[in-house]
Amino acid sequence: MIGFDADDTLWRSQDYFDQAQLDFERIVGRYVDLGDARLHERLYEIEKNNIGVFGYGVKGMTLSMIEAAVAITGQRIAAADLHRIVELGKDLLRHPVEMLPGIPEAVAAIAADFEIVLITKGDLFHQEAKVKQCGLADLFRRIEIVSEKDAGTYARLLREFGLPAAQFAMIGNSLRSDIAPVLDLGGWGIHMPYHTTWAHETEAEVAADAPRLRRVAGAAELPQAVRELARAAQAA
């Protein structure tokens, strides 16, 4: 069985968050010197601390931006600018699904030979909407939207699938969420980096020569990488 991540693996996502970050900094920059405020770092600290309360996704980011704006400006930020931050969040929720190049073809090719599942995290309503729009939902045996992607979550899903970890491979852009937990369980991973990644998702290390890991540069390489892992898993 092959698992796919969604955001920045099947479709663009982080680009929109990065743009919202820049727009947020422009709003708060009317009140403080951005060079002295460590705005990017302070927003990330607040977002990270709020994950356990708000979870992942746009709504958590928006609430964290509001909290950061109030704190950084010493509560001087105007209500109109807080409303602008809320609108940034709404724009993120409304953005269209833009599939990454070659992904529809790669997913279809892999689905022709293997059972595939989609495992993603984030806001439930937002992720459901994106899955519906992507046009690939019918190819997946299961679609799982989870609150966290760690070893415990993958272990639970594998029990539900009735599948040992050694017969499961995960494809994704995040070493922290898509690759490291599955390798720790004895599964396989295919890392397809995206050109921009949220700092939280970079907080993991996987050896470049990990024997159950393959790295690809883009979607066109995925079917061959999956076939190679399947042969390696069969030999093991």
Side-chain angles (χ1 to χ4, degrees):
M1 179 182 289
I2 310 300
F4 282 86
D5 171 49
D7 292 337
D8 299 320
T9 297
L10 301 184
W11 52 68
R12 291 179 61 203
S13 178
Q14 188 60 40
D15 302 272
Y16 298 106
F17 284 85
D18 289 347
Q19 183 59 53
Q21 167 89 28
L22 293 175
D23 293 339
F24 168 75
E25 292 180 3
R26 279 193 284 267
I27 293 170
V28 177
R30 297 172 58 189
Y31 299 87
V32 297
D33 181 348
L34 296 182
D36 296 335
R38 291 194 310 113
L39 190 56
H40 189 82
E41 292 84 356
R42 291 179 71 178
L43 175 58
Y44 174 60
E45 290 170 5
I46 290 172
E47 282 186 288
K48 187 174 180 179
N49 290 336
N50 283 340
I51 288 173
V53 179
F54 301 140
Y56 296 94
V58 173
K59 295 173 186 176
M61 179 184 183
T62 304
L63 290 169
S64 294
M65 286 194 295
I66 292 171
E67 180 181 343
V70 171
I72 289 167
T73 64
Q75 302 182 8
R76 293 182 293 113
I77 189 166
D81 284 327
L82 290 178
H83 181 71
R84 290 175 63 194
I85 293 172
V86 172
E87 288 300 315
L88 292 179
K90 289 183 177 180
D91 288 343
L92 281 172
L93 291 170
R94 296 187 188 112
H95 73 71
V97 172
E98 183 179 345
M99 304 301 290
L100 296 183
I103 279 294
E105 298 81 2
V107 173
I110 293 168
D113 296 321
F114 301 90
E115 284 192 325
I116 65 172
V117 294
L118 181 65
I119 304 174
T120 184
K121 67 183 180 184
D123 178 80
L124 178 63
F125 290 167
H126 193 203
Q127 293 299 92
E128 285 182 336
K130 288 192 284 187
V131 169
K132 184 177 180 180
Q133 294 174 45
C134 78
L136 300 177
D138 290 344
L139 294 176
F140 294 101
R141 170 184 161 183
R142 290 266 294 267
I143 295 171
E144 298 286 341
I145 302 172
V146 299
S147 58
E148 184 59 274
K149 291 166 75 174
D150 55 17
T153 297
Y154 285 108
R156 173 181 63 80
L157 292 175
L158 289 171
R159 287 194 299 270
E160 293 178 8
F161 300 154
L163 191 74
Q167 295 179 21
F168 177 75
M170 186 69 185
I171 297 171
N173 70 295
S174 169
L175 289 173
R176 179 185 184 276
S177 293
D178 304 319
I179 305 301
V182 174
L183 296 183
D184 288 344
L185 292 172
W188 306 76
I190 299 177
H191 185 219
M192 186 172 68
Y194 195 57
H195 70 90
T196 179
T197 303
W198 184 33
H200 187 65
E201 296 301 334
T202 64
E203 296 178 355
E205 293 185 5
V206 177
D209 58 350
R212 286 177 282 109
L213 173 66
R214 299 294 184 274
R215 299 177 191 267
V216 299
E221 299 177 18
L222 285 175
Q224 179 60 31
V226 168
R227 288 192 290 269
E228 291 176 2
L229 283 191
R231 288 195 292 269
Q234 187 175 22

